[in-house]
Amino acid sequence: MENSKILLIDDEQAILQMLEMVLAKEKFMNVYTAATGEEALHAVQEYKPDFIVLDVMLPDMNGFELCTKIRMYTDAHILFLTARVSDLDILTGFEKGGDDYVTKPFNPLEIVARMKAHLKRKGTSDAASPIPNDKVHHFGGFIVNEEAGELIVDGVVTPCPAQVFLLLVHFSQNVNRVLSKEQLFTAVWGYDYMADDNTVMVHIRRIRERIEPNPSKPVHLVTVRRLGYKLVKEPAR
Protein backbone atom coordinates (compact mmCIF):
# COMPACT_ATOMS: atom_id res chain seq x y z
CA MET A 1 0.00 0.00 0.00
CA GLU A 2 2.83 2.43 0.86
CA ASN A 3 4.17 2.06 -2.68
CA SER A 4 0.89 3.22 -4.20
CA LYS A 5 1.09 6.39 -6.27
CA ILE A 6 -1.00 9.28 -4.96
CA LEU A 7 -1.79 12.44 -6.93
CA LEU A 8 -3.02 15.53 -5.07
CA ILE A 9 -4.61 18.25 -7.24
CA ASP A 10 -5.32 21.56 -5.53
CA ASP A 11 -4.30 25.18 -6.09
CA GLU A 12 -4.08 25.86 -2.34
CA GLN A 13 -0.49 25.15 -1.30
CA ALA A 14 -1.48 24.90 2.36
CA ILE A 15 -3.81 22.00 1.59
CA LEU A 16 -1.21 20.22 -0.54
CA GLN A 17 1.43 20.61 2.17
CA MET A 18 -0.93 19.39 4.88
CA LEU A 19 -1.90 16.29 2.92
CA GLU A 20 1.70 15.59 1.94
CA MET A 21 2.75 15.78 5.57
CA VAL A 22 0.00 13.44 6.75
CA LEU A 23 0.68 10.96 3.95
CA ALA A 24 4.39 11.00 4.73
CA LYS A 25 3.61 10.13 8.36
CA GLU A 26 1.51 7.24 7.06
CA LYS A 27 4.53 5.98 5.07
CA PHE A 28 3.22 6.82 1.61
CA MET A 29 6.38 7.22 -0.46
CA ASN A 30 5.06 8.22 -3.89
CA VAL A 31 3.01 11.39 -3.52
CA TYR A 32 2.77 13.85 -6.41
CA THR A 33 1.08 17.25 -6.57
CA ALA A 34 -0.45 19.53 -9.19
CA ALA A 35 -1.89 23.03 -8.81
CA THR A 36 -3.61 23.34 -12.20
CA GLY A 37 -5.59 21.13 -14.54
CA GLU A 38 -2.82 21.18 -17.10
CA GLU A 39 -0.23 20.08 -14.53
CA ALA A 40 -2.61 17.37 -13.34
CA LEU A 41 -3.07 15.89 -16.82
CA HIS A 42 0.70 15.71 -17.32
CA ALA A 43 1.08 14.06 -13.90
CA VAL A 44 -1.63 11.49 -14.64
CA GLN A 45 0.08 10.47 -17.87
CA GLU A 46 3.58 10.44 -16.37
CA TYR A 47 3.00 8.84 -12.95
CA LYS A 48 -0.12 6.71 -13.53
CA PRO A 49 -1.50 7.27 -10.01
CA ASP A 50 -3.54 4.71 -8.09
CA PHE A 51 -5.53 7.30 -6.15
CA ILE A 52 -6.35 10.92 -7.02
CA VAL A 53 -7.54 13.69 -4.70
CA LEU A 54 -9.09 16.36 -6.91
CA ASP A 55 -10.20 19.86 -5.88
CA VAL A 56 -13.33 21.06 -7.68
CA MET A 57 -12.11 24.66 -8.01
CA LEU A 58 -8.91 25.09 -10.03
CA PRO A 59 -7.54 28.22 -11.74
CA ASP A 60 -7.61 26.96 -15.34
CA MET A 61 -10.58 24.54 -15.35
CA ASN A 62 -13.07 23.15 -12.88
CA GLY A 63 -12.54 19.75 -11.35
CA PHE A 64 -15.56 18.24 -13.08
CA GLU A 65 -14.16 19.10 -16.49
CA LEU A 66 -10.74 17.85 -15.46
CA CYS A 67 -12.20 14.59 -14.14
CA THR A 68 -13.67 13.85 -17.57
CA LYS A 69 -10.26 14.38 -19.16
CA ILE A 70 -8.48 12.28 -16.53
CA ARG A 71 -10.84 9.40 -17.27
CA MET A 72 -9.40 9.29 -20.78
CA TYR A 73 -6.12 8.05 -19.27
CA THR A 74 -6.94 6.15 -16.08
CA ASP A 75 -9.62 4.45 -14.03
CA ALA A 76 -7.84 5.38 -10.79
CA HIS A 77 -10.06 6.13 -7.81
CA ILE A 78 -10.95 9.86 -7.79
CA LEU A 79 -11.98 11.60 -4.57
CA PHE A 80 -13.33 15.12 -4.98
CA LEU A 81 -12.52 17.91 -2.54
CA THR A 82 -15.33 20.43 -2.66
CA ALA A 83 -16.61 23.44 -0.77
CA ARG A 84 -19.88 22.94 -2.61
CA VAL A 85 -22.47 20.93 -0.75
CA SER A 86 -25.52 21.00 -3.03
CA ASP A 87 -26.90 17.71 -4.30
CA LEU A 88 -26.50 18.91 -7.88
CA ASP A 89 -22.78 19.54 -7.49
CA ILE A 90 -22.24 16.19 -5.83
CA LEU A 91 -24.25 14.37 -8.49
CA THR A 92 -22.28 16.18 -11.20
CA GLY A 93 -19.04 14.92 -9.69
CA PHE A 94 -20.21 11.32 -9.83
CA GLU A 95 -21.57 11.69 -13.34
CA LYS A 96 -18.21 13.01 -14.56
CA GLY A 97 -16.43 9.92 -13.26
CA GLY A 98 -15.69 10.65 -9.60
CA ASP A 99 -15.87 7.85 -7.04
CA ASP A 100 -16.18 9.71 -3.75
CA TYR A 101 -16.07 13.18 -2.24
CA VAL A 102 -15.17 15.10 0.92
CA THR A 103 -16.43 18.59 1.71
CA LYS A 104 -14.19 21.41 2.91
CA PRO A 105 -13.16 22.01 5.63
CA PHE A 106 -12.05 18.43 6.13
CA ASN A 107 -9.94 16.28 8.42
CA PRO A 108 -6.95 14.99 6.41
CA LEU A 109 -7.05 11.77 8.40
CA GLU A 110 -10.48 11.06 6.89
CA ILE A 111 -9.00 11.26 3.40
CA VAL A 112 -6.16 8.96 4.42
CA ALA A 113 -8.63 6.48 5.91
CA ARG A 114 -10.63 6.40 2.70
CA MET A 115 -7.46 6.10 0.66
CA LYS A 116 -6.22 3.16 2.74
CA ALA A 117 -9.57 1.41 2.55
CA HIS A 118 -9.65 1.64 -1.24
CA LEU A 119 -6.02 0.64 -1.74
CA LYS A 120 -6.39 -2.28 0.65
CA ARG A 121 -9.37 -3.56 -1.30
CA LYS A 122 -7.55 -3.05 -4.58
CA GLY A 123 -4.46 -4.85 -3.28
CA THR A 124 -6.53 -7.77 -2.05
CA SER A 125 -8.24 -8.02 -5.41
CA ASP A 126 -4.95 -7.84 -7.35
CA ALA A 127 -3.34 -10.51 -5.17
CA ALA A 128 -6.25 -12.89 -5.37
CA SER A 129 -5.97 -16.16 -7.21
CA PRO A 130 -7.56 -16.39 -10.66
CA ILE A 131 -11.33 -16.09 -10.55
CA PRO A 132 -13.14 -19.26 -11.61
CA ASN A 133 -15.70 -19.32 -14.39
CA ASP A 134 -18.58 -19.42 -11.93
CA LYS A 135 -17.79 -15.74 -11.33
CA VAL A 136 -19.36 -14.94 -14.66
CA HIS A 137 -22.93 -13.91 -13.79
CA HIS A 138 -25.68 -14.20 -16.40
CA PHE A 139 -28.81 -12.07 -16.16
CA GLY A 140 -30.71 -12.49 -19.38
CA GLY A 141 -29.86 -9.34 -21.32
CA PHE A 142 -26.57 -8.68 -19.56
CA ILE A 143 -23.53 -10.50 -18.18
CA VAL A 144 -21.21 -9.46 -15.34
CA ASN A 145 -17.77 -10.99 -15.90
CA GLU A 146 -15.65 -10.52 -12.78
CA GLU A 147 -12.57 -12.15 -14.28
CA ALA A 148 -12.50 -9.86 -17.31
CA GLY A 149 -13.84 -6.84 -15.44
CA GLU A 150 -16.55 -6.46 -18.06
CA LEU A 151 -20.22 -5.67 -18.23
CA ILE A 152 -21.75 -7.09 -21.42
CA VAL A 153 -25.20 -5.80 -22.36
CA ASP A 154 -27.01 -7.39 -25.31
CA GLY A 155 -23.72 -8.90 -26.45
CA VAL A 156 -21.80 -5.61 -26.37
CA VAL A 157 -19.11 -4.70 -23.84
CA THR A 158 -20.44 -1.63 -22.05
CA PRO A 159 -18.06 0.92 -20.46
CA CYS A 160 -18.45 0.86 -16.71
CA PRO A 161 -16.45 2.98 -14.19
CA ALA A 162 -14.56 0.93 -11.64
CA GLN A 163 -16.65 1.81 -8.60
CA VAL A 164 -19.91 1.25 -10.51
CA PHE A 165 -18.62 -2.15 -11.65
CA LEU A 166 -17.59 -3.11 -8.12
CA LEU A 167 -21.08 -2.28 -6.86
CA LEU A 168 -22.64 -4.34 -9.65
CA VAL A 169 -20.33 -7.25 -8.82
CA HIS A 170 -21.39 -7.09 -5.18
CA PHE A 171 -25.03 -7.25 -6.22
CA SER A 172 -24.22 -10.15 -8.56
CA GLN A 173 -22.66 -12.04 -5.66
CA ASN A 174 -25.82 -11.50 -3.62
CA VAL A 175 -28.59 -12.16 -6.13
CA ASN A 176 -32.16 -11.78 -4.82
CA ARG A 177 -30.83 -10.54 -1.49
CA VAL A 178 -31.93 -7.15 -0.16
CA LEU A 179 -28.88 -4.99 0.61
CA SER A 180 -29.15 -1.79 2.61
CA LYS A 181 -27.31 1.39 1.67
CA GLU A 182 -25.13 0.91 4.75
CA GLN A 183 -24.17 -2.63 3.68
CA LEU A 184 -23.42 -1.53 0.13
CA PHE A 185 -21.32 1.42 1.22
CA THR A 186 -19.23 -0.61 3.65
CA ALA A 187 -18.75 -3.51 1.23
CA VAL A 188 -17.86 -1.49 -1.87
CA TRP A 189 -16.26 1.71 -0.58
CA GLY A 190 -14.53 -0.08 2.28
CA TYR A 191 -15.26 2.20 5.21
CA ASP A 192 -18.17 2.99 7.48
CA TYR A 193 -21.36 4.42 6.04
CA MET A 194 -21.64 8.11 6.90
CA ALA A 195 -25.37 8.74 6.56
CA ASP A 196 -24.93 10.09 3.02
CA ASP A 197 -27.39 8.68 0.52
CA ASN A 198 -25.94 10.42 -2.54
CA THR A 199 -22.97 8.15 -3.16
CA VAL A 200 -24.93 4.90 -3.22
CA MET A 201 -27.97 6.37 -4.98
CA VAL A 202 -25.96 7.87 -7.83
CA HIS A 203 -24.08 4.64 -8.42
CA ILE A 204 -27.34 2.68 -8.38
CA ARG A 205 -28.64 5.03 -11.07
CA ARG A 206 -25.48 4.58 -13.13
CA ILE A 207 -25.93 0.81 -13.01
CA ARG A 208 -29.56 1.10 -14.06
CA GLU A 209 -28.63 3.31 -17.00
CA ARG A 210 -26.52 0.43 -18.28
CA ILE A 211 -28.58 -2.69 -17.54
CA GLU A 212 -32.22 -1.60 -17.51
CA PRO A 213 -34.43 -1.36 -20.63
CA ASN A 214 -36.03 1.64 -18.89
CA PRO A 215 -33.89 3.00 -16.03
CA SER A 216 -36.91 4.90 -14.66
CA LYS A 217 -38.79 1.62 -14.27
CA PRO A 218 -36.13 -0.90 -13.20
CA VAL A 219 -36.86 -4.61 -13.41
CA HIS A 220 -33.39 -5.98 -12.65
CA LEU A 221 -32.00 -3.74 -9.90
CA VAL A 222 -35.08 -2.93 -7.88
CA THR A 223 -35.75 -0.77 -4.84
CA VAL A 224 -37.18 -2.46 -1.77
CA ARG A 225 -38.89 0.34 0.08
CA ARG A 226 -37.31 1.26 3.42
CA LEU A 227 -34.90 -1.68 3.19
CA GLY A 228 -32.54 -1.11 0.27
CA TYR A 229 -31.99 -2.66 -3.15
CA LYS A 230 -31.72 -6.09 -4.70
CA LEU A 231 -30.60 -7.50 -8.03
CA VAL A 232 -33.11 -10.09 -9.18
CA LYS A 233 -32.15 -13.09 -11.29
CA GLU A 234 -35.48 -13.41 -13.06
CA PRO A 235 -37.25 -10.05 -13.57
CA ALA A 236 -41.00 -10.02 -13.08
CA ARG A 237 -42.91 -10.15 -16.33
Side-chain angles (χ1 to χ4, degrees):
M1 184 185 301
E2 291 81 1
N3 292 324
S4 298
K5 298 176 182 179
I6 312 300
L7 176 60
L8 309 175
I9 308 169
D10 200 306
D11 64 334
E12 295 185 46
Q13 287 300 314
I15 289 179
L16 292 178
Q17 291 171 2
M18 175 180 63
L19 288 173
E20 283 185 288
M21 180 179 66
V22 174
L23 289 169
K25 288 183 178 179
E26 296 294 326
K27 310 299 184 184
F28 283 90
M29 307 301 296
N30 303 305
V31 180
Y32 310 97
T33 63
T36 68
E38 185 177 355
E39 289 179 7
L41 288 174
H42 285 303
V44 167
Q45 295 174 66
E46 181 175 357
Y47 302 119
K48 298 177 175 55
D50 301 294
F51 194 103
I52 298 171
V53 179
L54 172 57
D55 186 24
V56 170
M57 301 299 293
L58 295 170
D60 55 343
M61 67 181 76
N62 69 54
F64 301 142
E65 178 186 355
L66 177 57
C67 184
T68 301
K69 294 182 178 182
I70 287 174
R71 282 292 178 234
M72 297 171 64
Y73 302 103
T74 180
D75 63 353
H77 191 95
I78 297 178
L79 182 149
F80 276 109
L81 286 182
T82 177
R84 303 175 175 184
V85 293
S86 76
D87 288 346
L88 178 60
D89 289 322
I90 293 167
L91 295 176
T92 299
F94 287 128
E95 290 296 334
K96 296 299 184 181
D99 298 295
D100 201 355
Y101 72 95
V102 168
T103 55
K104 295 181 179 181
F106 61 89
N107 184 335
L109 293 177
E110 179 182 351
I111 291 180
V112 173
R114 298 189 186 202
M115 191 179 294
K116 285 184 172 182
H118 169 74
L119 294 172
K120 182 178 180 180
R121 286 179 56 82
K122 181 177 182 296
T124 300
S125 175
D126 291 345
S129 57
I131 300 173
N133 288 335
D134 62 2
K135 294 300 182 180
V136 179
H137 309 277
H138 295 264
F139 295 92
F142 67 95
I143 298 171
V144 180
N145 187 332
E146 290 187 48
E147 184 172 16
E150 291 180 342
L151 169 62
I152 303 169
V153 181
D154 295 329
V156 178
V157 176
T158 301
C160 196
Q163 212 71 10
V164 175
F165 185 76
L166 289 174
L167 183 59
L168 182 54
V169 166
H170 189 67
F171 274 116
S172 300
Q173 294 170 342
N174 294 275
V175 176
N176 296 326
R177 178 184 174 190
V178 178
L179 300 172
S180 69
K181 292 174 184 175
E182 292 88 345
Q183 289 173 318
L184 293 169
F185 199 90
T186 301
V188 176
W189 278 263
Y191 47 88
D192 292 339
Y193 181 76
M194 295 176 295
D196 176 12
D197 289 347
N198 283 316
T199 300
V200 173
M201 290 176 64
V202 170
H203 284 71
I204 291 289
R205 188 176 76 181
R206 295 169 80 181
I207 290 175
R208 285 172 171 166
E209 288 172 348
R210 289 164 171 80
I211 69 172
E212 299 287 358
N214 182 352
S216 299
K217 296 181 179 179
V219 295
H220 296 288
L221 182 51
V222 299
T223 300
V224 181
R225 190 176 180 185
R226 297 185 180 178
L227 295 178
Y229 305 91
K230 69 175 178 179
L231 183 64
V232 297
K233 189 73 172 179
E234 297 294 337
R237 301 286 182 184

